Amino acid sequence: MKRIVILISGRGSNMEAIVRSCAEQAWPATVAAVVSNRSQAAGLAFAAERGIAAGVVDHRAFASRAEFDAALAAAIDAHAPDLVVLAGFMRILGPEFVRRFEGRLLNIHPSLLPAFPGLHTHRRVLETGCKVSGATVHFVTADLDHGPIVMQSVVPVLPDDTEDSLAARVLATEHRIYPISVDWFIRDRLRIQHGVVQQTEGAAQLLR
Ligand code: GRF
């Protein structure tokens, strides 16, 4: 059984999608813990209801980013994870943290990376007049919202879209591509070669 730790900051809908897929599809894995940097994160209640260890490491309790990162890493390591999943985790993690979990740290970002890293993705997509957008699951590197791409989804940007309508369309695809990506990881079906991720069985890494 592989062990998964999921980090959240808020709603936790991607975390929910992964927890549900793990149970419904009988993955050879268990979500060992959900950790949030915010005690108010709505997703913590869902995790607790499911009997998953739900913890908080509040970034405001630490004088520096490095101290927060170290405390967070210790909280994660207590669950001996094979995989750490960032699911709407809204803190930038330092290079030491990233190095410690390198190769077993995944993130999802609501754009077609490498376009639109960072915040306010959907607003910037609309302002730029892009006709497509999507989401990206990638391995985390020290470079924010970069790193080898596991899977992407693509959705149209419609003429009357608002930030909310576009976000909702993208989010629906996030809930599909993140569980698939995690499933591949825990079944050892991902290989990184020269910075490019290959699904070892040749499964489609694009959802359209
Ligand atoms: C998602 O859009 C994710 O891509 C981004 O933050 C949002 C988190 O949503 N990083 P949720 O907490 O998973 O519902």
Side-chain angles (χ1 to χ4, degrees), residues 132-180:
V132 293
S133 190
T136 305
V137 177
H138 64 97
F139 282 95
V140 175
T141 61
D143 205 359
L144 178 69
D145 292 334
H146 282 78
I149 292 171
V150 176
M151 193 171 185
Q152 289 186 309
S153 59
V154 62
V155 302
V157 179
L158 303 178
D160 56 355
D161 261 335
T162 62
E163 270 184 72
D164 285 350
S165 64
L166 179 56
R169 191 175 309 119
V170 171
L171 187 67
T173 70
E174 294 182 44
H175 296 163
R176 296 176 63 193
I177 66 172
Y178 218 175
I180 292 172

Side-chain angles (χ1 to χ4, degrees), residues 66-207:
E67 285 168 79
F68 167 67
D69 281 5
L72 181 64
I76 295 168
D77 278 341
H79 298 281
D82 299 284
L83 173 65
V84 179
V85 173
L86 307 181
F89 186 71
M90 300 304 284
R91 303 298 298 174
I92 293 174
L93 297 163
E96 204 172 313
F97 182 98
V98 171
R99 215 173 303 122
R100 183 170 182 147
F101 297 104
E102 193 152 25
R104 53 186 176 121
L105 185 57
L106 292 176
N107 182 41
I108 191 160
H109 183 75
S111 79
L112 290 171
L113 293 175
F116 305 107
L119 296 173
H120 310 301
T121 310
H122 305 299
R123 184 192 311 167
R124 290 185 289 137
V125 166
L126 292 172
E127 283 168 0
T128 312
C130 288
K131 306 307 174 218
V132 293
S133 190
T136 305
V137 177
H138 64 97
F139 282 95
V140 175
T141 61
D143 205 359
L144 178 69
D145 292 334
H146 282 78
I149 292 171
V150 176
M151 193 171 185
Q152 289 186 309
S153 59
V154 62
V155 302
V157 179
L158 303 178
D160 56 355
D161 261 335
T162 62
E163 270 184 72
D164 285 350
S165 64
L166 179 56
R169 191 175 309 119
V170 171
L171 187 67
T173 70
E174 294 182 44
H175 296 163
R176 296 176 63 193
I177 66 172
Y178 218 175
I180 292 172
S181 301
V182 172
D183 180 51
W184 286 343
F185 183 94
I186 59 165
R187 291 179 201 275
D188 207 17
R189 290 180 184 159
L190 299 175
R191 290 281 172 279
I192 307 178
Q193 273 186 334
H194 310 297
V196 175
V197 182
Q198 289 175 341
Q199 207 283 353
T200 56
E201 300 173 305
Q205 288 169 263
L206 171 64
L207 175 76

